[in-house]
Amino acid sequence: MDNAHHGTDHELLAQLAHQAFARCQEAAANTEIPGQITRTFCSPAIAQLHQQLIGWMQSLGMTCRVDGAGNLWGKLASHPRPDAPSLIIGSHLDTVPNGGRYDGLLGVILGLALAEVVVRRRATLPFALEVVGFSEEEGVRFGTPFIGSLAVVGQCDDALLQRTDANGLTVRSALQLFGCHPDEMNSAALQPARVIAYLEPHIEQGPVLQSAQLPLGVVTSIAGQTRAIAEFCGVAGHAGTVPMQLRRDALAAAAEWILAVERIGQSTAGLVATVGAIEVSPGAGNVIPGAARAKLDVRHAEDSIRSTAVTQLRELGNEIAARRNTSFELSIVHEHRAAPMNDAIAALIEQSLADTGIAPLRLVSGAGHDAAVMARRFPTGMLFIRCQDGISHHPDETVTTDDITAALSTLWFFVQRLTSRQVNP
Ligand SMILES: [Zn+2]
């Protein structure tokens, strides 16, 4: 690779980072609901965004396609061999209702900025560079996330295609109306030999980088998650007439258990444990609660630590219930395993952060990402970008151009390091 222009890299990177920042603002205009940023799977807003991105891709000489699952791909064939495997950079294009400008989209726009660095530097890479904009990650329209990336790893099955949205429309018909051919879903799947690595730049959606005063971090793992409902049942009664020692107060039992959830979260490194909702019945100020249902969320980078915590919480619930003469039941609603990122890719990202002059902070992603799905089939890594106050899924999401410059610089070093690894393995 030609490194002769190295001295002027920073100027180019800063210029392209400003362009990337401006593009994030421009792309925000693609929305289903004026005044918000709302883009759901296969909506006209996504179609408009595709047109905008295709314009930017084509101006770099990239070849564009939309696959059977509605994912947008742009390929920069910087290598003369048409069957050269790809480094894929990207993220998702959909948003939560009234979301932000950067969640998902920034990863795609940064992929384009990186492609532009390659073009402007006239770099010849030993691989193709592909930018992907996944069709669906947030799970808003069909109540299930990752439709786009699941298709790419060959796991978008019939059951998923048959799911319906609020209007009774299936995933399959939504794709057809979008102009896709869901029967070619299998063609959306990429063979492992086609992919050198998938790298997802994404805003952190948390406050860790900001509190460490670092613009970027390398993700080592995407946490596994257990969601469960804890139910305590006692006996409802009159708040004035039932003496304290004769009560079987379900909410008081639940309250004791909720504090145990917090305690276990606090006393286990890397564990997060939350009760985010509670329902009490009968639910009146002058009635002793007869039943309390609490919604539990537990996450950790290591599945064994998460399941130990859940077992502990089950035992504590039983113990509290026995002491307070209530019943206790913990029902698991949803569970998914942790997705460790590829060690070699994480190491390359760390080195590229150091090249950029940034201390390589390692962190676990508490939120799910397409990278968790892609990691099932391809060597996968994630680069986190600081967002102000950890705010995301909200119009106030904020990322600075300086941090985008740092991210682009890290991606560019990553490409150069990956190139020398391919050339001199
Ligand atoms: Zn996201």
Side-chain angles (χ1 to χ4, degrees):
M1 178 187 283
D2 174 15
N3 279 323
H5 299 95
H6 192 84
T8 57
D9 267 3
H10 186 77
E11 213 171 294
L12 174 65
L13 295 170
Q15 180 202 335
L16 293 178
H18 274 87
Q19 175 181 273
F21 181 85
R23 285 178 169 181
C24 287
Q25 318 310 313
E26 256 184 86
N30 300 298
T31 177
E32 285 155 51
I33 301 171
Q36 295 188 356
I37 302 168
T38 301
R39 286 190 302 267
T40 59
F41 182 56
C42 288
S43 61
I46 295 272
Q48 282 167 25
L49 177 56
H50 276 191
Q51 286 317 306
Q52 194 169 42
L53 290 166
I54 287 170
W56 292 332
M57 286 170 169
Q58 286 176 342
S59 73
L60 293 173
M62 298 175 98
T63 322
C64 302
R65 69 185 173 99
V66 177
D67 68 19
N71 300 311
L72 174 66
W73 295 86
K75 184 170 181 176
L76 186 70
S78 65
H79 190 276
R81 234 178 58 220
D83 61 340
S86 296
L87 166 64
I88 301 172
I89 311 261
S91 189
H92 59 97
L93 298 178
D94 64 322
T95 69
V96 296
N98 202 19
R101 289 167 168 74
Y102 307 99
D103 179 355
L105 187 75
L106 178 59
V108 182
I109 300 277
L110 268 169
L112 289 182
L114 179 62
E116 188 155 355
V117 177
V118 172
V119 170
R120 299 266 290 264
R121 280 283 168 265
R122 300 176 197 281
T124 306
L125 309 178
F127 44 79
L129 183 64
E130 281 192 82
V131 176
V132 62
F134 288 114
S135 56
E136 207 288 339
E137 191 268 350
E138 300 284 7
V140 173
R141 181 164 175 187
F142 289 95
T144 184
F146 309 123
I147 297 173
S149 47
L150 282 169
V152 175
V153 300
Q155 294 175 4
C156 181
D157 55 16
D158 248 18
L160 184 50
L161 287 174
Q162 292 313 318
R163 279 185 79 106
T164 50
D165 68 5
N167 298 315
L169 210 65
T170 61
V171 172
R172 181 185 291 279
S173 25
L175 280 166
Q176 279 162 343
L177 289 168
F178 194 70
C180 293
H181 303 285
D183 291 327
E184 294 167 15
M185 191 58 81
N186 285 338
S187 72
L190 297 182
Q191 292 312 308
R194 275 262 286 108
V195 180
I196 293 177
Y198 169 66
L199 178 53
E200 181 165 359
H202 197 284
I203 58 167
E204 182 204 344
Q205 301 181 272
V208 175
L209 289 171
Q210 181 173 289
S211 69
Q213 295 183 302
L214 288 170
L216 306 168
V218 56
V219 176
T220 52
S221 180
I222 296 173
Q225 182 189 30
T226 301
R227 288 167 69 177
I229 292 182
E231 184 157 24
F232 287 88
C233 285
V235 176
H238 194 292
T241 61
V242 185
M244 296 308 285
Q245 70 275 17
L246 296 180
R247 293 183 180 195
R248 296 165 63 189
D249 184 330
L251 180 56
E256 198 179 327
W257 184 75
I258 291 167
L259 290 177
V261 171
E262 185 188 42
R263 196 169 62 244
I264 284 186
Q266 285 167 340
S267 61
T268 315
L271 190 77
V272 283
T274 310
V275 171
I278 185 156
E279 266 170 43
V280 179
S281 67
N286 58 353
V287 181
I288 300 161
R293 280 159 57 90
K295 290 187 178 170
L296 173 71
D297 180 312
V298 181
R299 306 185 196 207
H300 196 277
E302 289 196 25
D303 293 323
S304 60
I305 294 178
R306 173 173 49 88
S307 55
T308 302
V310 172
T311 304
Q312 259 180 308
L313 287 171
R314 191 186 294 280
E315 284 163 3
L316 280 165
N318 285 329
E319 186 228 294
I320 292 164
R323 185 158 31 79
R324 290 177 164 272
N325 202 15
T326 67
S327 68
F328 172 74
E329 212 171 319
L330 187 71
S331 329
I332 307 293
V333 177
H334 169 85
E335 214 162 13
H336 69 249
R337 300 179 63 80
M341 298 291 98
N342 181 280
D343 282 338
I345 300 298
L348 277 184
I349 298 172
E350 279 188 312
Q351 291 159 0
S352 310
L353 284 167
D355 293 338
T356 304
I358 296 166
L361 181 78
R362 306 183 133 227
L363 63 177
V364 169
S365 174
H369 293 288
D370 292 303
V373 175
M374 293 292 274
R376 296 175 190 172
R377 193 174 251 202
F378 313 113
T380 294
M382 274 197 98
L383 176 70
F384 267 175
I385 299 148
R386 170 168 58 188
C387 58
Q388 192 182 307
D389 301 326
I391 293 170
S392 75
H393 284 186
H394 191 278
D396 290 347
E397 253 177 31
T398 305
V399 175
T400 67
T401 48
D402 281 352
D403 289 1
I404 296 176
T405 307
L408 184 56
S409 164
T410 304
L411 292 175
W412 177 227
F413 279 117
F414 179 88
V415 162
Q416 295 171 77
R417 285 189 172 274
L418 192 63
T419 295
S420 45
R421 195 189 75 169
Q422 296 298 115
V423 175
N424 323 297

